[in-house]
Structures are given as structure tokens and as C-alpha cells.
Amino acid sequence: MAGQVPAPYRSPHLSRLHPSRRTDAALSAAPVAAGAVQGEGGAPPGSDFYCDEALSGRTPVTVVAETDAVLAFEHTHPSHPVHIVVMPKQHTPSLVDLGEGGDALLLKVLTVARDVAARVQEEHGAARVTANLGSYQESEHLHIHVTYGHQLESA
């Protein structure tokens, strides 16, 4: 698939992309702005970038997939050529503290993460799926990273 521009991600498990946030995202390399702060949107540890910025619309995101409960979008400051964040729309502190959403919400998040990872693997031959905890988790909101490629030098 090298050189081809892939179609926006769609899956039988996912609803249509939300038109107000849709940008026809392809799972392709995203440029990193010079001097951009890497990590969860440059958010300080202990904050919730995902609720405060991504879900509120204050920070625009390129939607890759969306359901009623889950949003997947291109990372705003990617550390890999392909870097997608999959997160629940309901505040969920972390993978080990699922909050009110519990296992049912985790299953919805993992279903979308699986579908996004399958598309990345199909298009690029490999995918990495990670979730950070503790001091590695810069934003206190459960999120799963789906990445491909070597870590970018500026990361």
C-alpha cells in the first residue's frame, strides 16, 4: 500500500464519524510541528487533557473512528509516524481504575482499539498497542495508543 492514500477508517463496529469533527482522517504519517511539546497535548501530569481539551472541542482533533462511547483520533503531538489515541468519552481514570464505566466501557474501548490496530496492521504490516499507568500516564483519563513506526526524533 506504499504511496496510496488509505480511505478513512470504517468498521462494522463503529458508527459514522461525527460530521462536526470529521476530517476524513487517513491512518497516515502526521507531521510534527517544529518545537511541539510531545506527550498528551503538552498537558501537565495529573490533568485530564482528553476531557478538558479533546472532548470539549477546545483542541481540534482528527477523528479516525467514533462510537457513542468511544473516540479514536490522531494524536495531537504524535511520537510515531502513525499515532492514534483511543479513549472512552466518559471520564475513566485509568486502565486499573475504570470508574463508573467499569468492564462494559473497557470492552467498548478495546473493541475500537482492536479495530483501529487491525487497520494499521493491514496498511503498514505492524501495529503497537499500549496503555500507560502511574507516572507514565500524563493525562488521568484512560486512553490507548495505537502506533506504527519508529519513535520520531523530536519525541
Side-chain angles (χ1 to χ4, degrees), residues 85-101:
V85 176
V86 181
M87 56 164 280
K89 292 179 180 178
Q90 176 181 336
H91 179 70
T92 305
S94 75
L95 183 62
V96 296
D97 179 359
L98 297 174
E100 294 178 17

Side-chain angles (χ1 to χ4, degrees), residues 10-102:
R10 292 204 177 40
S11 162
H13 300 288
L14 305 176
S15 64
R16 296 203 60 178
L17 297 178
H18 191 282
S20 66
R21 298 169 76 178
R22 183 176 174 179
T23 60
D24 287 327
L27 300 181
S28 60
V32 177
V37 176
Q38 298 300 308
E40 310 313 325
S47 67
D48 183 353
F49 170 82
Y50 298 103
C51 282
D52 297 343
E53 298 292 328
L55 289 175
S56 74
R58 285 195 306 212
T59 296
V61 297
T62 302
V63 174
V64 173
E66 185 171 16
T67 69
D68 60 334
V70 180
L71 178 66
F73 60 94
E74 291 181 2
H75 199 295
T76 57
H77 297 288
S79 61
H80 294 82
V82 174
H83 191 161
I84 299 163
V85 176
V86 181
M87 56 164 280
K89 292 179 180 178
Q90 176 181 336
H91 179 70
T92 305
S94 75
L95 183 62
V96 296
D97 179 359
L98 297 174
E100 294 178 17

